[in-house]
Amino acid sequence: MSRAAIRYAKAVLSLAQEKEATSTVQEDMKTIIATIATSAELKMLVNSPLIKSEVKLASLQAVFKDASALTKNLFATLVSNKRVSLLEEVAKQYSILYDQLNNTQVAKVTTAVPLSKQLEEKVLAKVKELTGNKATIENKVDASIIGGFILRVGDLQYNASVLHKLTSLKRELSN
């Protein structure tokens, strides 16, 4: 993460707090992250030094036409400062700062099959018990772990996957 992206994210959060629009901007940032992640064309547009600034700004405003005024101002600022390539990083940093502001963390749960609602609630309760903070769940499905789950919250990781247990058993037997 670049320090510039963090600075822009802090500035946007500060403005959003003044205007009492932090959650609205957070929704915009989630949309930006998801859209850039799934659109190679948009990623190329934002990062290309060959495309004129005016075209970049017009494109961003067209793609994210439902974004708040604060988010659109961020586009204009990044484009005018020739830092529009930082947009995705700024959005990610904003999300992190927003979560910190609201004492919320993202719990990344990797499972072999999608999480059920009941299991999701149990995981959220466990994260609250371990960290004292609320959490939102990001579920990633990876059949290679065979069963069980891998929970990652911030710097903490708990691996209760069948693959991990099999690997540990293999290591013990080979010793």
Side-chain angles (χ1 to χ4, degrees), residues 25-60:
V25 175
Q26 170 66 354
E27 290 307 311
D28 291 346
M29 296 302 158
K30 283 181 182 176
T31 304
I32 290 167
I33 294 166
T35 307
I36 292 176
T38 58
S39 172
E41 294 87 8
L42 185 59
K43 191 174 278 203
M44 193 264 321
L45 171 104
V46 167
N47 292 314
S48 175
L50 303 175
I51 298 172
K52 290 188 170 122
S53 297
E54 307 83 56
V55 174
K56 288 181 182 184
L57 181 58
S59 300
L60 287 172

Side-chain angles (χ1 to χ4, degrees), residues 10-161:
K10 284 181 179 176
V12 172
L13 182 65
S14 178
L15 278 171
Q17 284 176 300
E18 281 177 28
K19 304 228 187 287
E20 296 179 2
T22 53
S23 57
T24 305
V25 175
Q26 170 66 354
E27 290 307 311
D28 291 346
M29 296 302 158
K30 283 181 182 176
T31 304
I32 290 167
I33 294 166
T35 307
I36 292 176
T38 58
S39 172
E41 294 87 8
L42 185 59
K43 191 174 278 203
M44 193 264 321
L45 171 104
V46 167
N47 292 314
S48 175
L50 303 175
I51 298 172
K52 290 188 170 122
S53 297
E54 307 83 56
V55 174
K56 288 181 182 184
L57 181 58
S59 300
L60 287 172
Q61 288 179 336
V63 171
F64 302 107
K65 62 182 175 292
D66 298 332
S68 67
L70 284 170
T71 303
K72 288 180 179 176
N73 286 343
L74 172 65
F75 297 156
T77 304
L78 289 173
V79 168
S80 70
N81 293 339
K82 305 221 182 302
R83 295 291 200 140
V84 75
S85 61
L86 294 176
L87 180 60
E88 187 177 15
E89 271 187 77
V90 172
K92 287 177 181 175
Q93 280 301 317
Y94 181 92
S95 289
I96 291 168
L97 293 169
Y98 177 83
D99 287 344
Q100 288 172 353
L101 182 71
N102 293 297
N103 290 325
T104 304
Q105 292 181 307
V106 176
K108 294 181 180 170
V109 183
T110 305
T111 53
V113 294
L115 279 177
S116 67
K117 265 287 177 226
Q118 293 169 312
L119 202 52
E120 202 171 291
E121 288 169 11
K122 285 182 181 177
V123 171
L124 287 172
K126 192 66 177 171
V127 170
K128 182 147 179 74
E129 179 187 313
L130 292 171
T131 65
N133 291 337
K134 294 179 286 184
T136 55
I137 287 194
E138 229 176 70
N139 185 208
K140 178 180 161 199
V141 178
D142 181 0
S144 72
I145 69 168
I146 303 170
F149 65 92
I150 301 169
L151 173 65
R152 185 171 191 81
V153 182
D155 295 340
L156 302 171
Q157 179 170 311
Y158 180 71
N159 193 336
S161 67

